[in-house]
Amino acid sequence: MHYYRYSNAEVSCWYKYLLFSYNIVFWLGGVAFLAAGLWAWSEKGVLSDLTKVTGLHGLDPVVLVLVVGIVMFTLGFAGCVGALRENICLLKFFCGAIVFIFLLELAVAVLAFLFQDWVRDMVKEFFENNIKSYRDDIDLQNLIDSLQKINHCCGAQGPDDWDFNIYFNCSSESKSREKCGVPFSCCIPDPAQKVVNTQCGYDVRKQVRCWELGVCHVLCLH
C-alpha cells in the first residue's frame, strides 16, 4: 500500500504531538466504550445469541454505546497514526469525518427546526415504544428511570402513557401488582427518606394528579 509522505515535515513537532496526544485519549475512550458495550452484551447473553438484538422492541442502550465506541475508536486511530506517521490519507480521512459529522449535526438541527411538529410526533412515538419495553431490558429500564428523574417528569407526555406497558396498564385483565401505577422514578422523592421507595408508584393513577411541571405531569408521590 502506497501513501504520500513528505520528506520534510511541514507541521511543527508541537502541533504533531499535540494532535497525537488528543487522539490517543479519544482512541482509548473508544476502546473503553467498546469494552463496556461488549461486556454488557455478554452479561445479557447477546453475544451467545445475536437474535436477542432484534428481540427488544425498544432501544437497547448498549447499541448506542457500541456505535459511539466504534466512531471514537476509528477516528482516534486515524488521528493517532496519521499524526504520528504523517500519513496524509489518514489525516484527510480524519478531517473529512469530523467535517461530515459536523455537517450532519447541523442538518439534523435545521430539519428539526423546520419540521418541529413531525419531530415532536416521532419523539413521542419513540418514547412510547420504549415505554412498552420498559421491563424487557434492564439497561433500557435504567435509562428511562434516569431520564424521568433528571427531567422531573413521568412518561412521554404524562403518567397515562404508562398504559402502553402491560405491567402498568389499568385494564381489568391485568393481574400485575403494578397495575394502574407508574415506576418509582416518577415519584417526588422525600428528602427525609434515605432509602428509595421502589413501590411508591403503586396504584397512584387511581388517585388525582396534584402537580404539573412543564409538559410533563408529575404525581405527588411521597
Side-chain angles (χ1 to χ4, degrees), residues 78-144:
C80 284
V81 177
L84 191 63
R85 302 292 298 172
E86 299 181 22
N87 188 314
I88 303 302
C89 291
L90 286 177
L91 288 176
K92 285 183 177 179
F93 169 78
F94 175 77
C95 293
I98 295 296
V99 172
F100 173 76
I101 292 174
F102 172 75
L103 293 177
L104 185 63
E105 291 177 347
L106 185 62
V108 169
V110 172
L111 291 175
F113 177 77
L114 294 177
F115 303 99
Q116 295 183 31
D117 293 336
W118 179 80
V119 172
R120 190 178 295 109
D121 292 338
M122 292 297 294
V123 171
K124 180 177 179 292
E125 183 180 355
F126 173 77
F127 276 104
E128 288 175 353
N129 288 334
N130 284 283
I131 285 174
K132 293 178 184 178
S133 305
Y134 176 77
R135 290 295 190 201
D136 298 342
D137 183 76
I138 187 63
D139 293 321
L140 177 61
Q141 180 176 315
N142 291 333
L143 178 62
I144 293 176

Side-chain angles (χ1 to χ4, degrees), residues 26-45:
F26 203 67
W27 178 73
L28 290 175
V31 173
F33 272 95
L34 285 173
L38 292 175
W39 174 81
W41 263 3
S42 67
E43 289 293 308
K44 293 194 290 186

